[in-house]
Amino acid sequence: MLFRSTVASTSWTNLNNSLNTALFYPGISISPSTLNTTFGGTQDNGILQYQGNPSWNEAPPCGDGGFTAIDFVNPQYVYAACQEISIHASTDGGNTFHSAQSGINTLDRSDFIPPLVMDPSNSSRLYFGTYRVYQTADSANSWTAISPDLTSSSGPILTVAVSPSDPNTIYTGSQYGVVFVSHNALSGISATWTAGNLPSAQSVFQITVDPHNPLTAWAAASGGHVYRDRKSTRL
């Protein structure tokens, strides 16, 4: 932030209006009903809300804001994750938020900005990644762990991807090229996971699933590498 004073310590002028200083993390969400409603997590400035004006509001308050999601059936439901393990939900379009992490162990090993994603086929079902995957089927009122440790036993899950065409298929990626996939994620605690690690020990930052074929996925890894999986068992 930058201010100017011509009379020492008595009158200050804000010089920040045209400065683009916010660093947004992944997970920006746009309302399906209006382009004038957007939420995004930022470094050191929490979750910011856009409402059609150049000035963005903070909602909910937190240090670093992370992933956000807006219900595509009822946009009044909004979800936002702060740094580490802190999830908030709103039922009034983001005007107010409440804690929404019941069932998640806040002592889990996690990334500083852990992934929070919405199932593209069911807006009431979301997933959150620590070193394991948590699932909610009731709009974040309660969460259940549906996987064991899906990392190398040291690093956290960095990305979670739900297949748009098959809600049973979910991929995860973490450090050291560790990738897992489940084809029965809707079984909850009975879900099974299969390793399909990358050929090198790179961090997996993003996985995208083919919108028509759940057995095809792409993984973006550190070093500028992209891998494709066509069998869902090896990327």
Side-chain angles (χ1 to χ4, degrees):
M1 302 292 286
L2 183 63
F3 295 84
R4 180 183 65 189
S5 175
T6 56
V7 180
S9 303
T10 58
S11 178
W12 292 86
T13 302
N14 188 336
L15 302 179
N16 300 287
N17 290 338
S18 62
L19 296 180
N20 299 315
T21 57
L23 172 62
F24 281 89
Y25 288 116
I28 292 177
S29 56
I30 302 174
S31 171
S33 60
T34 171
L35 296 178
N36 285 333
T37 298
T38 299
F39 293 87
T42 63
Q43 182 186 43
D44 294 331
N45 286 284
I47 301 293
L48 299 185
Q49 179 182 9
Y50 173 72
Q51 294 178 304
N53 299 308
S55 179
W56 292 48
N57 299 320
E58 185 177 13
C62 56
D64 287 70
F67 285 73
T68 65
I70 302 175
D71 190 312
F72 50 82
V73 175
N74 183 356
Q76 291 298 301
Y77 283 78
V78 181
Y79 307 91
C82 296
Q83 77 266 21
E84 298 173 337
I85 302 176
S86 179
I87 302 174
H88 305 267
S90 172
T91 59
D92 57 10
N95 292 316
T96 61
F97 281 85
H98 60 270
S99 179
Q101 59 201 40
S102 177
I104 296 177
N105 188 338
T106 58
L107 298 179
D108 274 10
R109 183 176 69 251
S110 71
D111 192 27
F112 184 68
I113 302 295
L116 170 72
V117 299
M118 180 177 288
D119 185 335
S121 65
N122 185 334
S123 60
S124 296
R125 188 162 50 236
L126 295 94
Y127 294 90
F128 183 75
T130 58
Y131 67 85
R132 49 185 169 174
V133 172
Y134 286 89
Q135 178 192 75
T136 176
D138 57 6
S139 302
N141 287 310
S142 61
W143 296 82
T144 302
I146 64 166
S147 80
D149 189 344
L150 300 181
T151 72
S152 62
S153 297
S154 59
I157 291 174
L158 302 177
T159 181
V160 176
V162 184
S163 167
S165 61
D166 177 16
N168 262 308
T169 299
I170 298 179
Y171 295 78
T172 68
S174 62
Q175 294 176 328
Y176 310 114
V178 178
V179 175
F180 276 86
V181 60
S182 173
H183 293 295
N184 63 340
L186 298 187
S187 298
I189 60 175
S190 299
T192 56
W193 299 80
T194 302
N197 297 343
L198 301 186
S200 58
Q202 299 165 284
S203 293
V204 183
F205 293 117
Q206 185 72 41
I207 294 178
T208 298
V209 188
D210 187 302
H212 305 293
N213 183 1
L215 302 184
T216 298
W218 291 263
S222 56
H225 293 85
V226 177
Y227 298 88
R228 182 174 65 175
D229 174 25
R230 287 195 262 182
K231 295 180 182 179
S232 76
T233 57
R234 179 175 297 177
L235 284 145

